[in-house]
Amino acid sequence: MSMYGGVGLQDTISYEGSGVELFHDFALCVMVFILCVVVGMFYSITVGGGSVVSGYSGSNYVEFIWTTLPVVVLLGLSFPSLALMYLSEGPPGGSPDLTFKAVGHQWYWSYEGGDFLDFGVDSYMAPLGDLSEGSFRLLEVDNSLVLPFGAKVRLVTSSTDVIHCWALPSLAMKVDCVPGRLNTLSVSSVSPGSFYGQCSEICGINHSFMPIHVEFVDWGTFLAYVAQ
């Protein structure tokens, strides 16, 4: 957990996730700046007797400033936001190395792949009795999604019943899984590791019991996993 652990942000493991974290910091600074301006104006009008703004009553200059400044702020927020949305929906610089499909069910996940061999696994939450010391309650699964780190992976999501949501905080990613529709996002990691997420859509009585577990491994381990 990073310095943002108190507000729930995790250390990111991808370039897109790092961009989301930087955009969060930038947007927070903009919000603090706006708050300071509003509080300062409120103090000037109520406590200070309006000494700051009284000289500009009916001024075209002041009206121009308070019209153009919000436009500049919104443009400053929109450009990096749109860039991050573009990067998260597809890998830059060409086609992906691998394609996987994540399908939401009530209440488990299934993963499919067909780049090397056609295979599919169902991922259920591990029962409490199967957990070992050091395992995470309500987050461990019987079959994880295994991906090679450093590769550009395209993840296609859908659902067979209701709307689910595939979310992995370490990648700063969250995408809805809608029945009859395919949504795509780019998944990549700069380091190996084991990372957890959960369905972030209220999809029914067992919504809290369909965790997501992704393991990023080297290519040799990944190929051995696919061969099984």
Side-chain angles (χ1 to χ4, degrees), residues 153-211:
V153 180
R154 177 174 58 192
L155 186 68
V156 183
T157 65
S158 186
S159 173
T160 60
D161 35 54
V162 299
I163 299 178
H164 299 278
C165 184
W166 200 89
L168 200 67
S170 297
L171 290 176
M173 288 185 173
K174 177 179 177 182
V175 60
D176 284 339
C177 306
V178 183
R181 178 177 176 179
L182 298 178
N183 290 328
T184 62
L185 70 159
S186 177
V187 177
S188 63
S189 173
V190 296
S191 62
S194 182
F195 306 96
Y196 297 87
Q198 287 179 306
C199 175
S200 298
E201 196 75 54
I202 301 178
C203 56
I205 187 174
N206 288 332
H207 152 71
S208 303
F209 304 104
M210 48 185 307

Side-chain angles (χ1 to χ4, degrees), residues 5 31 47 64 73 80 98 107 110 162 165-166 179-180 183 193 197:
M31 291 169 56
V47 180
F64 176 79
V73 172
L98 297 169
W107 287 270
S110 63
V162 299
C165 184
W166 200 89
N183 290 328

Side-chain angles (χ1 to χ4, degrees), residues 109-124:
W109 295 97
S110 63
Y111 300 107
E112 304 171 7
D115 291 286
F116 297 96
L117 297 172
D118 291 332
F119 74 96
V121 296
D122 294 332
S123 180
Y124 289 86

Side-chain angles (χ1 to χ4, degrees), residues 17 37 61 67 78 94 130 138 144 151 171 192 195 197 222:
V37 172
Y61 175 77
T67 301
S78 63
D130 296 344
L138 302 182
S144 306
L171 290 176
F195 306 96
F222 172 75

Side-chain angles (χ1 to χ4, degrees), residues 21-80:
E21 190 173 293
L22 290 174
F23 179 71
H24 165 270
D25 296 344
F26 172 67
L28 184 62
C29 292
V30 172
M31 291 169 56
V32 172
F33 168 74
I34 295 174
L35 178 63
C36 292
V37 172
V38 172
V39 171
M41 295 296 292
F42 179 79
Y43 177 84
S44 172
I45 295 173
T46 58
V47 180
S51 58
V52 175
V53 298
S54 59
Y56 299 100
S57 177
S59 171
N60 293 331
Y61 175 77
V62 174
E63 292 185 8
F64 176 79
I65 292 297
W66 71 38
T67 301
T68 56
L69 185 59
V71 174
V72 173
V73 172
L74 291 176
L75 289 176
L77 291 174
S78 63
F79 284 118

Side-chain angles (χ1 to χ4, degrees), residues 116-117 119 146-148 217-228:
F116 297 96
L117 297 172
F119 74 96
V146 179
L147 300 174
V217 298
D218 58 82
W219 274 99
T221 304
F222 172 75
L223 293 176
Y225 165 76
V226 173
Q228 295 177 359

